[in-house]
């Protein structure tokens, strides 16, 4: 493919990306998950007595549109049916007035019964049902609010959980203690496998196993619930209440994500907060900002919003695509990111009390939980613009604070988690209460790679802390040459993150670890020239690792990795004449050329790409995300580096 065609593709993509910037300077694509967000929104409003006919009809329209031909709902595009999701969607449609004898409802109910019925759903689904008497509280795992009193050095204290789980568990201890039941508007007998025994007991695991131990501990906690010391229980509930209220963000949400927000509202309402209380009012108003209205009148909710993440990635992409760093859009984006710096301490300070703040969060408002990944990428974005910014010293100072904060958040094994330090206990995952998704935050390859890349970019490639990160990455390479992706799908994301970081940190592209990763990517390239990986790689890596329909974002990740490894383009045919270009050291990779051709051939007229597949990860396998900006921002980065050279090759790791 001739260079002019690729340049035209990049130009259209760049112009489209620029056109999506908000007047305030940020970018934000929709963050799509699954219909449990929408079903739980209706259930919350039913519980609080504020559900309206208009909201219900619009939400039901969306939920129906996501139902598959077999009557089920899944958690990602093209994925298998998911029982708990289907139950929650079904209940929401019953709230909307759908007749249980209607074909789409009968098909859903038949699937639910065949998959084990309500009794086989996850704990969180049964908690929602318990709020209306559809499931007994006695048949749910117990999580007493007295957990608030456990010191941080004891196992299973609240700071042993990842921040997202911690924010959810604290309000749920209140709900679990008070066990509210609102009148059910209808019965759900059609969702039980045996209506005569709708709440069957599950057999206990052997007492010598962790599952068996915690199941028996849960029996003790249930007994304690009946005999809880009242003054102690009141004190625990009051401490939980203060903890929740203190962590409400400026926009009214909690942690910028849906689960702690809905449970915090329920918990506070149970503790006496009326709906017109400022805390409750702000919390409910936050959901309006998370609401997406479609052109055909449907309504769905984002589980979270990603403006900081999208803005730093867009800034990096545009500069790497050849947009001048002093372009007004990039200066405006930089100013907005500077305004989002978090200068106060949050929960991370429990483990790092002496560390000064200086990070960025994922969302518009989440000062309690800045994250290491966003901070690393924001620093990389700021440094691309800083020399041309009207106030370069201000930009540099913010970047320096971000670097210092990230260094202070390094775990003892040399790697980095997303939100906390050394959040690696395996015990929280074993609790019967925690049967949905990851509840701890151990270091991961993708986050560690982004930090290493950032440290190399600021000239710290030889710093002992950077070298420890590099050593951890090399030690955690999969046998096949890939890296596991915690926050993106999956091995393509992990490998696409790690290779640029290793090369930036000075690992030569001839290193065996680099060559194994290159071979893995080449072997996983699809026949059409793109790359793709299905979410099922988290459950069945042997079958799905690096396998799936080609997507724009995953093809871009593979290209970014190959380009970092010196795999092309052949500089004789595509000279690196842009800023930061590498010398003529490309290997002229056929895989790279085919990947670029796939991107150009599948581009839509307006400059973006179609990507219904989910390529983002909340909890591996359990909670999948379609970041709507990924399909644009990463191809812009990849095509820019193809045409103008790979920035990391200008720093270190030249082909040898």
């Amino acid at each position: 493919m001739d260079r002019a065609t690729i340049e035209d593709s990049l130009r259209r993509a760049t112009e489209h990306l620029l056109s999506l910037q908000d007047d305030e300077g940020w970018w934000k694509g929709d963050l799509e998950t699954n219909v449990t967000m929408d079903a739980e929104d209706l259930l919350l409003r039913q519980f609080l007595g504020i559900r309206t006919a208009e909201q219900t009809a619009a939400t039901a329209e969306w939920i129906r549109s996501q139902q598959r031909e077999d009557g089920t709902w899944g958690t990602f595009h093209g994925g298998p049916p998911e029982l708990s999701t289907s139950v929650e969607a079904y209940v929401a449609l019953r709230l909307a007035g759908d007749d249980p004898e209607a074909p789409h409802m009968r098909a859903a109910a038949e699937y639910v019964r065949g998959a084990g019925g309500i009794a086989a759903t996850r704990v969180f689904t049964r908690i929602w049902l318990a709020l209306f008497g559809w499931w007994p509280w006695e048949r749910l795992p117990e999580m007493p609010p007295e957990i608030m009193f456990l010191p941080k050095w004891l196992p299973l204290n609240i700071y042993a959980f990842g921040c997202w789980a911690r924010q959810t568990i604290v309000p749920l201890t209140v709900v679990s203690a008070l066990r509210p039941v609102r009148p059910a508007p209808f019965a759900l007998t059609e969702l039980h496998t045996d209506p005569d025994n709708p709440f069957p007991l599950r057999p206990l695991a052997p007492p010598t196993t962790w599952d068996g131990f915690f199941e028996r501990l849960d029996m003790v906690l249930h007994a304690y619930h009946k005999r809880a010391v009242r003054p102690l229980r009141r004190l625990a509930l009051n401490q939980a209440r203060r903890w929740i209220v203190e962590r409400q963000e400026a926009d009214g949400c909690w942690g910028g994500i849906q689960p702690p927000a809905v449970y915090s509202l329920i918990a506070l309402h149970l503790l006496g907060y009326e709906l017109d209380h400022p805390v409750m009012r702000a919390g409910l108003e936050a959901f309006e900002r998370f609401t997406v209205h479609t052109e055909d009148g449907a309504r769905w909710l984002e589980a979270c919003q990603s403006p900081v993440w999208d803005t730093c990635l867009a800034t990096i992409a545009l500069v790497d695509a050849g947009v001048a760093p002093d372009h007004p859009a990039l200066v405006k984006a930089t100013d907005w990111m500077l305004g989002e710096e978090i200068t106060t301490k949050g929960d991370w300070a429990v483990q790092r009390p002496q560390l000064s703040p200086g990070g960025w969060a994922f969302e518009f408002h989440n000062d309690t939980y800045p994250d290491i990944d966003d901070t690393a990428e924001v620093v990389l974005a700021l440094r691309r613009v800083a020399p041309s910014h009207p106030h370069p010293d201000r930009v540099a100072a913010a970047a320096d604070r971000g670097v210092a904060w990230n260094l202070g958040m390094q775990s003892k094994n040399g790697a980095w988690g997303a939100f906390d330090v050394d959040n690696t206990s395996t015990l929280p995952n074993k609790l019967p209460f925690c049967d949905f998704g990851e509840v701890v935050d151990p270091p991961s390859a993708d986050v560690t790679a982004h930090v290493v890349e950032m440290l190399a970019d600021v000239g710290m490639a030889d710093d002992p802390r950077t070298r420890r990160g590099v050593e951890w990455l090399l030690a955690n390479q999969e046998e096949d040459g890939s890296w596991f992706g915690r926050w993106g799908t999956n091995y393509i994301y992990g490998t696409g993150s790690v290779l640029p970081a290793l090369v930036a940190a000075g690992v030569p592209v001839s290193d065996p670890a680099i060559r194994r990763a290159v071979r893995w990517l080449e072997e996983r390239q699809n026949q059409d020239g793109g790359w793709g990986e299905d979410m099922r790689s988290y459950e069945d890596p042997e079958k799905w690792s690096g396998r799936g329909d080609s997507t724009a974002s995953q093809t871009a990740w593979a290209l970014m990795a190959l380009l970092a490894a010196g795999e092309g383009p052949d500089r004789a045919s595509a000279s690196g004449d842009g800023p930061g270009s590498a010398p003529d050291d490309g290997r002229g990779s056929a895989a790279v050329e085919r990947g670029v051709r796939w991107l150009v051939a599948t581009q839509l007229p307006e400059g973006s790409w179609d990507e219904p597949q989910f390529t983002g990860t909340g909890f591996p396998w359990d909670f999948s995300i379609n970041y709507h900006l990924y399909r644009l921002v990463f191809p812009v980065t990849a095509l820019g580096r193809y045409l103008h050279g790979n920035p990391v090759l200008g720093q270190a790791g030249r082909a040898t």
Side-chain angles (χ1 to χ4, degrees):
M1 181 173 291
D2 65 278
R3 182 183 178 93
T5 301
I6 302 169
E7 287 177 334
D8 181 67
S9 175
L10 179 59
R11 176 190 58 77
R12 289 188 290 119
T14 299
E15 290 176 354
H16 185 57
L17 181 56
L18 285 168
S19 74
L20 298 177
Q21 186 180 29
D22 186 83
D23 290 340
E24 293 184 3
W26 46 264
W27 281 268
K28 188 193 81 65
D30 288 341
L31 193 151
E32 180 184 353
T33 54
N34 64 72
V35 296
T36 60
M37 300 297 103
D38 316 297
E40 290 170 9
D41 179 65
L42 292 188
L43 287 165
L44 171 68
R45 295 175 186 278
Q46 177 75 15
F47 183 85
L48 297 177
I50 59 173
R51 182 171 61 86
T52 68
E54 181 181 9
Q55 291 168 335
T56 302
T59 301
E61 184 66 27
W62 174 257
I63 293 174
R64 289 187 208 101
S65 75
Q66 301 302 299
Q67 189 176 21
R68 283 95 69 90
E69 291 184 1
D70 62 358
T72 67
W73 288 264
T75 58
F76 60 89
H77 178 81
E82 207 285 317
L83 173 61
S84 296
T85 303
S86 296
V87 167
E88 293 187 32
Y90 179 93
V91 174
L93 292 183
R94 288 291 312 268
L95 285 175
D98 286 25
D99 186 345
E101 293 301 317
H104 69 291
M105 298 293 280
R106 292 181 64 182
E110 182 178 350
Y111 159 73
V112 169
R113 291 192 301 271
I118 288 175
T121 60
R122 58 179 173 249
V123 168
F124 278 35
T125 296
R126 283 179 282 136
I127 288 174
W128 280 105
L129 299 180
L131 292 174
F132 300 95
W134 289 314
W135 187 265
W137 285 105
E138 293 76 15
R139 291 286 191 271
L140 285 167
E142 184 73 12
M143 183 67 78
E146 285 83 354
I147 192 177
M148 300 296 298
F149 298 138
L150 295 181
K152 68 177 184 179
W153 51 266
L154 270 182
L156 301 179
N157 75 89
I158 61 171
Y159 296 102
F161 295 86
C163 74
W164 59 88
R166 180 188 319 144
Q167 299 169 85
T168 302
I169 285 171
V170 170
L172 277 178
T173 65
V174 175
V175 179
S176 177
L178 299 179
R179 298 185 174 184
V181 178
R182 296 287 189 266
F186 43 79
L188 288 175
T189 54
E190 70 271 23
L191 298 187
H192 294 296
T193 56
D194 182 2
D196 294 329
N197 183 27
F199 315 124
L201 288 172
R202 298 182 182 184
L204 295 176
T208 54
T209 65
W210 279 113
D211 286 344
F213 169 78
F214 280 113
E215 286 170 353
R216 286 160 179 82
L217 175 61
D218 186 63
M219 295 170 65
V220 173
L221 293 177
H222 272 277
Y224 172 76
H225 173 83
K226 298 176 182 178
R227 300 172 179 82
V229 180
R230 291 185 180 276
L232 184 64
R233 174 57 58 94
R234 285 196 298 269
L235 188 63
L237 289 171
N238 194 45
Q239 186 162 325
R241 177 193 61 78
R242 287 199 307 270
W243 193 95
I244 295 167
V245 173
E246 288 170 357
R247 282 157 180 77
Q248 186 177 33
E249 298 292 345
D251 65 346
C253 197
W254 280 267
I257 53 179
Q258 182 262 8
V262 294
Y263 299 124
S264 292
L265 287 170
I266 293 173
L268 292 177
H269 192 53
L270 293 173
L271 292 173
Y273 283 65
E274 299 296 336
L275 294 178
D276 61 354
H277 188 284
V279 170
M280 296 292 292
R281 188 168 60 247
L284 290 169
E285 289 173 355
F287 282 118
E288 297 306 318
R289 290 186 286 274
F290 280 56
T291 302
V292 177
H293 297 277
T294 67
E295 293 181 357
D296 58 0
R299 170 185 181 271
W300 61 276
L301 265 71
E302 296 177 287
C304 184
Q305 294 184 320
S306 55
V308 175
W309 185 242
D310 288 346
T311 301
C312 65
L313 293 178
T315 300
I316 292 169
L318 290 168
V319 175
D320 290 0
V323 175
D326 62 354
H327 189 287
L330 296 178
V331 173
K332 185 180 291 187
T334 299
D335 289 339
W336 183 81
M337 286 187 284
L338 291 175
E340 291 297 304
E341 183 186 5
I342 296 170
T343 57
T344 57
K345 290 188 175 183
D347 275 5
W348 54 268
V350 171
Q351 297 296 335
R352 288 291 185 268
Q354 305 305 317
L355 181 61
S356 297
W360 280 264
F362 186 74
E363 304 88 352
F364 284 112
H365 300 282
N366 188 9
D367 288 359
T368 308
Y369 300 104
D371 70 271
I372 292 160
D373 213 8
D374 273 273
T375 299
E377 292 297 322
V378 167
V379 170
L380 287 169
L382 293 179
R383 285 179 53 80
R384 276 165 166 76
V385 179
S388 303
H389 191 272
H391 304 288
D393 292 344
R394 180 183 172 219
V395 180
D400 289 345
R401 288 190 294 271
V403 170
W405 185 74
N406 262 7
L407 283 171
M409 296 295 288
Q410 188 173 26
S411 290
K412 65 179 65 173
N413 63 5
W416 283 266
F419 295 92
D420 285 305
V421 177
D422 296 320
N423 191 251
T424 56
S425 172
T426 59
L427 288 180
N429 281 327
K430 300 181 185 301
L431 289 172
F433 196 87
C434 301
D435 68 344
F436 174 56
E438 187 66 66
V439 298
V440 292
D441 182 21
S444 66
D446 41 332
V447 175
T448 299
H450 293 156
V451 177
V452 166
E453 185 178 0
M454 174 201 72
L455 294 173
D457 191 75
V458 301
M460 298 180 65
D462 295 328
D463 186 281
R465 293 164 292 187
T466 308
R467 302 324 302 171
R468 291 182 65 219
V470 169
E471 291 167 5
W472 187 90
L473 288 172
L474 292 173
N476 282 272
Q477 186 176 25
E478 303 291 327
E479 290 185 6
D480 61 11
S482 65
W483 278 270
F484 179 83
R486 166 61 181 87
W487 297 98
T489 315
N490 169 358
Y491 296 96
I492 292 178
Y493 181 72
T495 307
S497 301
V498 171
L499 281 189
L502 292 179
V503 176
V507 177
V509 298
S510 59
D511 188 275
I514 303 291
R515 303 325 310 162
R516 288 201 305 274
V518 168
R519 285 195 296 273
W520 181 84
L521 285 168
E522 291 174 341
E523 291 168 357
R524 293 305 192 273
Q525 189 172 26
N526 288 331
Q527 289 295 317
D528 61 13
W531 280 266
E533 184 169 353
D534 192 277
M535 284 287 174
R536 280 168 278 207
S537 66
Y538 286 114
E539 284 285 281
D540 186 1
E542 184 175 347
K543 178 179 179 180
W544 291 101
S545 171
R547 304 293 189 193
D549 296 335
S550 295
T551 69
S553 59
Q554 291 167 323
T555 297
W557 297 337
L559 288 172
M560 290 158 64
L562 292 173
L563 290 168
E567 289 303 301
D570 183 348
R571 299 296 175 186
S573 60
S575 61
D577 55 1
S581 62
D584 293 347
D585 54 9
R587 299 175 187 270
S589 165
V592 168
E593 299 299 331
R594 292 178 61 221
V596 169
R597 283 199 298 272
W598 185 88
L599 282 178
V600 173
T602 57
Q603 188 178 28
L604 300 173
E606 78 272 11
S608 188
W609 282 262
D610 185 30
E611 188 169 287
Q613 296 87 353
F614 285 41
T615 65
T617 305
F619 307 143
W621 176 249
D622 291 299
F623 195 76
S624 305
I625 301 172
N626 184 337
Y627 292 98
H628 285 203
L629 206 66
Y630 273 18
R631 64 194 67 175
L632 178 59
V633 69
F634 286 113
V636 168
T637 307
L639 292 176
R641 293 180 182 182
Y642 174 88
L643 289 170
H644 303 305
N646 195 326
V648 302
L649 285 177
Q651 301 166 30
R654 300 196 184 284
T656 57

